[in-house]
Amino acid sequence: LQVAFNDVDFCYRLYEEGYQNVIDNTISMIAEDYTNIKGEFVKIEINPIEEVCYVRIDPLEFSMVVENLIYNAYKARASKLIININKTDDDIVIEFSDDGVGLSNKIENASDIFGLGYSTTGGTGIGLSHAQKIIRQLGGTIEINEAYKNGFSIIVRLKNEH
């Protein structure tokens, strides 16, 4: 991970390998624990961008978000999780899409899953609430891609600092 500092604040200069390092380190830490019900690892495919990006990020905090989203894919019995990283003029967009069971039709308002204590898996309901708090503290957003119908997809947007 290459780091660039300026006088006003700290920015991490993330090349393709920068994203890879944060995501790969998280994946390697937890991969042994997250097998699906068939006893196989959830296959994780990462599609990074190749150009230089500037984004405010704390690698530890970001790793916690990534770990939560991977764990949620595992709990949803996903066999595959695809992480697409793209850049717009204003944002770095990271989409996590899995082929698991998806959101229950019983959930009336999809954004409710970010509420503290909200769980559909019998968990604590802290994970997505904490992920949302972290992303907001980084000046970004996290939202469900409700158009995705082959499982579950969540989009993280972080400000592109150019």
Side-chain angles (χ1 to χ4, degrees):
L1 184 65
Q2 297 187 9
V3 181
F5 302 98
N6 69 27
D7 294 334
V8 179
D9 51 24
F10 296 98
C11 289
Y12 288 89
R13 183 177 184 188
L14 297 177
Y15 289 93
E16 177 179 329
E17 64 269 20
Y19 279 112
Q20 289 289 88
N21 285 342
V22 172
I23 294 172
D24 284 351
N25 288 341
T26 301
I27 291 168
S28 65
M29 287 186 328
I30 64 173
E32 293 177 19
D33 296 333
Y34 299 115
T35 56
N36 67 21
I37 58 174
K38 297 177 188 171
E40 302 168 349
F41 290 106
V42 175
K43 182 178 180 340
I44 300 172
E45 176 184 318
I46 303 170
N47 300 311
I49 56 177
E50 296 184 16
E51 54 190 291
V52 175
C53 300
Y54 289 88
V55 62
R56 295 171 209 253
I57 194 170
D58 176 328
L60 179 61
E61 295 285 322
F62 183 71
S63 292
M64 291 167 58
V65 172
V66 173
E67 181 176 3
N68 178 262
L69 297 175
I70 292 170
Y71 183 55
N72 287 349
Y74 160 76
K75 290 191 296 185
R77 299 185 184 108
S79 62
K80 186 173 187 178
L81 172 65
I82 299 172
I83 302 170
N84 289 311
I85 305 169
N86 295 295
K87 179 181 173 184
T88 67
D89 288 339
D90 297 325
D91 298 314
I92 305 302
V93 181
I94 308 167
E95 184 170 9
F96 298 78
S97 303
D98 69 48
D99 64 353
V101 296
L103 282 181
S104 168
N105 291 337
K106 296 177 183 177
I107 298 174
E108 292 179 24
N109 185 359
S111 64
D112 287 348
I113 68 171
F114 295 106
L116 184 59
Y118 191 91
S119 176
T120 60
T121 63
T124 61
I126 294 174
L128 285 175
S129 177
H130 189 234
Q132 183 181 54
K133 179 180 177 183
I134 290 169
I135 297 300
R136 284 182 175 170
Q137 286 173 340
L138 295 172
T141 62
I142 184 170
E143 61 192 15
I144 299 164
N145 179 356
E146 294 188 52
Y148 188 81
K149 300 299 180 194
N150 298 321
F152 181 75
S153 181
I154 201 158
I155 299 170
V156 173
R157 294 180 192 278
L158 298 170
K159 179 138 176 69
N160 181 1
E161 300 291 335
H162 304 279

